Amino acid sequence: MTRILPWVATAALALAVLLAGVLNPVRPASVRTDALGPDNGEPVQDYLGRAGVSLGERGPEPSWALVSFVEPVDVAAVAALPGDLRVAHVLFRVPIDRVQTPLVTVAVSAHPEALQRAPLVAAGRLRGPAAGHDRAARIAAVSADRLAADCACAVGIVVRGTGEQLREVATASQVRAVEALPSDAVAGRFSVRPLLPEHIDTVAPGPDDGQP
């Protein structure tokens, strides 16, 4: 009898662990894979195609979407876009020939002044790391100066609107693509990568041998 007890105890322990797993399952990690924008290395035409499909699928429920521009625009042009969309983020990137400049994303409130002040906010974020004399510091400093001067440097915006509103903004001449997420996507739980104006054939970094 004493030889059997250890096996009984082991079996009982295994059963207890199994029941604990069934009654108290491990909750899945809160990870969302929603993303807006093209993948690195993706052909531009492929991205434009799937962005168009996503836009056609949206109905009356509001959705988050990425608007990418043909050329960088200023915030006045953003404010003048059709569709009466709620602009939530502005993505700034100062265009300098053959220079990879930093992408700065600025959240804006619904107040019109927040959108107007967004370039100054972006410039302020670049002022901190701009100290120094290396190339990266010079690029940051030049970018900050141009943003502070209200340059045409917005390469994309994240907006929220109905399918009808999003399709209306897609008709604007300065808009290159509008990609929409499903209506159940949660704010702050998706990544954003703009389709840059210099992305012509493939989404890939351009040359970075110019002078700021």
Side-chain angles (χ1 to χ4, degrees):
M1 185 69 176
T2 55
R3 295 178 181 177
I4 299 176
L5 287 177
W7 293 100
V8 173
T10 301
L13 178 60
L15 180 61
V17 171
L18 178 61
L19 288 175
V22 172
L23 297 176
N24 300 283
V26 177
R27 295 181 180 179
S30 180
V31 176
R32 295 296 296 266
T33 58
D34 289 331
L36 285 170
D39 297 325
N40 189 38
E42 181 176 12
V44 170
Q45 288 305 314
D46 287 2
Y47 172 69
L48 295 177
R50 65 183 179 88
V53 170
S54 76
L55 189 59
E57 292 173 344
R58 301 285 72 82
E61 292 294 325
S63 301
W64 292 104
L66 170 66
V67 178
S68 298
F69 298 113
V70 176
E71 296 291 343
V73 301
D74 58 21
V75 291
V78 171
L81 287 171
D84 193 28
L85 293 163
R86 163 73 171 97
V87 178
H89 293 85
V90 183
L91 286 68
F92 293 102
R93 187 173 183 270
V94 176
I96 302 176
D97 187 38
R98 301 185 70 86
V99 174
Q100 293 296 305
T101 54
L103 180 70
V104 184
T105 301
V106 177
V108 295
S109 70
H111 197 287
E113 288 187 6
L115 179 59
Q116 297 303 318
R117 288 182 53 82
L120 287 175
V121 174
R125 292 183 182 174
L126 292 175
R127 297 286 187 201
H133 302 286
D134 61 5
R135 187 170 183 274
R138 293 197 306 274
I139 292 171
V142 170
S143 296
D145 289 344
R146 296 187 184 180
L147 284 165
D150 197 20
C151 63
C153 296
V155 294
I157 53 175
V158 176
V159 300
R160 186 165 176 81
T162 65
E164 182 179 356
Q165 290 174 309
L166 296 173
R167 285 185 283 274
E168 183 177 355
V169 78
T171 65
S173 59
Q174 62 268 53
V175 172
R176 188 179 185 190
V178 178
E179 181 192 3
L181 289 174
S183 58
D184 62 352
V186 180
R189 304 284 288 277
F190 54 85
S191 61
V192 179
R193 174 178 179 161
L195 176 67
L196 298 177
E198 60 263 34
H199 292 155
I200 304 300
D201 298 316
T202 305
V203 178
D208 191 25
D209 53 6
Q211 293 300 316

